[in-house]
Amino acid sequence: MLAEGTLMNIPRVLIVFFLGLFSLSLYAQDALPIRVKQLESQINSLTREVLHLRTALRQQQELTEKLSKQSSISQEKLYDDLIEKFQEENQKPSFFRNLFHSPIKLGGYLEVKLDKEESSLKPATIDLSSIVLSLHSPINDVFSVDAEIQLEDYNSIIISHAYLTSAISSYFNFKLGVMRIPFGKYNISYSAPSQFFGSLPITHQYIVPTIWSEPGFSFSGHTPENLPIKISYDIMVSNGLGKGSFRQTIGNEEGKQKLHEDNNTDKQWSARLGIVPKIGIKTISLDCGISGTIGRYDSAQKSQYQGGSLDAMLQIGPYSIIGDHDHLYFSAEYVAFKAERDRQVLQEYPDTVPGIK
């Protein structure tokens, strides 16, 4: 009996459930337009707020740009005045501070020679012929000190160069001290590790007493790097050659004076003009130069000498055959001197010649 009553109540429950769903759907259809209008109102309100914020941001940006333009000139002038005042107050202390605390770059090399006599009575010997110390010390952006000192035979010191450089610009530099005479390419660039011969060429033993260094001052510079051809100049005033020059047997070997000596008051003028054209090929470079010198070598200042030189060097490389930076060089240099001889010179040195080349 209970089961039959339960089964009879099931249709009634279903009817009530479906009637409830139908009434809810009718209520939802009536409430949907109201909800849509509420959402549209909220969207319109948010849109107005976004537009208002964009307008305010644009106005603020325009005002900031206007104020920055008006104050930039005065701010820059204020900063320039402060920097100039600071430099004036600290110029001298900073110069001496850099002078005493400037960095020093040290280097050098040893030169070892194998001496073998033609006679078999004396055995071949290995000789440590020289010890060379080089240094470079930049005092500041303008001034620097360079030096190269050579110790030979354990008892003699030779100053290859030691000078103060004032690098004002690439067009004009000033040097003061002991410098290499700008006569030919080989003399100004000579160093034992970079030379290609076991000994000095005969030209730079007999005619140009390499290393030929003298105390004096010089002016040098070069044209900008962006030009199709680079032209450099080097002009130097120094003591010059002395007595014993232009001798037939030994050339100018004894004409090179000591650093603290000068046998007359006349000065030697020397100059080299270098030309480096840009060929357009990275592995090929050409360096040419023309040099000249003039001075007087006797004590009476009556005998004048004149010298000229032409030099050229062709470099091919780098390329890789043995290593990664192999180079091939072809170099040539022509040197000639013309010298006057008075009676006093010929009496003291009868083998003086009117010219050597």
Side-chain angles (χ1 to χ4, degrees):
M1 294 296 291
L2 292 172
E4 292 179 358
T6 303
L7 293 173
M8 292 177 65
N9 291 329
I10 290 175
R12 295 176 183 177
V13 173
L14 293 175
I15 292 172
V16 171
F17 176 75
F18 284 112
L19 288 174
L21 288 177
F22 179 73
S23 61
L24 287 173
S25 63
L26 292 176
Y27 174 77
Q29 290 179 359
D30 294 336
L32 182 62
I34 299 173
R35 184 59 179 167
V36 170
K37 290 181 179 180
Q38 291 177 351
L39 291 175
E40 289 179 352
S41 176
Q42 292 177 358
I43 291 173
N44 292 331
S45 176
L46 291 174
T47 303
R48 287 192 297 270
E49 291 181 3
V50 170
L51 293 175
H52 177 71
L53 289 174
R54 188 178 66 177
T55 303
L57 180 62
R58 184 179 297 172
Q59 293 176 353
Q60 183 67 28
Q61 184 177 1
E62 293 177 354
L63 179 61
T64 303
E65 292 178 354
K66 183 178 180 180
L67 293 175
S68 63
K69 290 181 180 180
Q70 292 177 354
S71 61
S72 61
I73 299 176
S74 59
Q75 288 179 355
E76 291 177 359
K77 187 177 184 303
L78 177 61
Y79 294 152
D80 293 340
D81 294 341
L82 291 175
I83 292 173
E84 185 178 357
K85 185 177 180 181
F86 177 79
Q87 289 177 347
E88 291 178 356
E89 293 177 352
N90 295 274
Q91 184 175 7
K92 293 183 179 180
S94 62
F95 173 80
F96 289 106
R97 189 184 306 112
N98 292 333
L99 179 63
F100 290 108
H101 296 85
S102 58
I104 299 177
K105 300 178 182 179
L106 296 176
Y109 59 87
L110 305 177
E111 189 173 4
V112 180
K113 294 181 180 179
L114 176 63
D115 293 334
K116 184 177 181 182
E117 300 289 340
E118 295 181 359
S119 175
S120 59
L121 299 177
K122 185 177 180 181
T125 58
I126 298 177
D127 180 24
L128 179 61
S129 59
S130 63
I131 302 175
V132 179
L133 175 66
S134 60
L135 64 90
H136 171 74
S137 178
I139 301 174
N140 51 34
D141 295 337
V142 178
F143 296 98
S144 62
V145 176
D146 291 87
E148 184 174 292
I149 301 174
Q150 184 174 0
L151 175 63
E152 287 188 350
D153 300 329
Y154 311 105
N155 56 6
S156 63
I157 297 177
I158 299 175
I159 300 178
S160 299
H161 59 258
Y163 54 83
L164 173 69
T165 301
S166 175
I168 300 174
S169 69
S170 60
Y171 308 102
F172 181 81
N173 298 320
F174 176 75
K175 296 180 182 178
L176 178 65
V178 179
M179 293 164 287
R180 302 189 183 193
I181 303 298
F183 186 72
K185 176 72 172 179
Y186 192 85
N187 179 67
I188 59 178
S189 61
Y190 167 81
S191 66
S194 64
Q195 65 171 323
F196 310 106
F197 306 99
S199 59
L200 290 173
I202 187 64
T203 301
H204 291 271
Q205 295 182 31
Y206 183 75
I207 305 177
V208 182
T210 305
I211 298 173
W212 187 10
S213 300
E214 293 184 0
F217 60 91
S218 72
F219 307 95
S220 61
H222 61 82
T223 55
E225 298 288 346
N226 55 358
L227 295 180
I229 184 171
K230 178 181 177 181
I231 300 177
S232 61
Y233 71 93
D234 195 345
I235 304 172
M236 180 177 176
V237 180
S238 62
N239 292 332
L241 296 172
K243 61 180 182 179
S245 305
F246 311 107
R247 296 172 62 184
Q248 185 175 7
T249 54
I250 59 176
N252 288 324
E253 182 179 349
E254 294 185 359
K256 186 170 63 172
Q257 303 184 90
K258 295 182 179 180
L259 298 181
H260 59 279
E261 293 180 351
D262 190 7
N263 67 329
N264 57 43
T265 58
D266 187 67
K267 299 305 171 192
Q268 172 183 272
W269 287 80
S270 307
R272 181 181 183 272
L273 184 68
I275 301 174
V276 180
K278 293 185 179 179
I279 301 176
I281 304 175
K282 293 182 179 180
T283 57
I284 298 179
S285 62
L286 179 64
D287 188 351
C288 305
I290 178 171
S291 308
T293 183
I294 185 171
R296 300 183 186 274
Y297 66 98
D298 61 330
S299 302
Q301 298 184 186
K302 295 181 179 180
S303 299
Q304 187 183 77
Y305 63 89
Q306 301 173 358
S309 173
L310 296 174
D311 61 82
M313 183 177 69
L314 176 65
Q315 174 183 321
I316 302 175
Y319 51 87
S320 299
I321 295 181
I322 300 176
D324 295 332
H325 300 282
D326 300 322
H327 293 81
L328 184 62
Y329 295 93
F330 297 93
S331 61
E333 188 167 336
Y334 174 80
V335 179
F337 273 98
K338 180 181 178 181
E340 300 174 350
R341 303 174 297 171
D342 62 0
R343 182 178 301 177
Q344 182 179 355
V345 171
L346 291 175
Q347 287 179 353
E348 189 172 359
Y349 301 101
D351 60 341
T352 301
V353 294
I356 51 177
K357 60 184 178 178

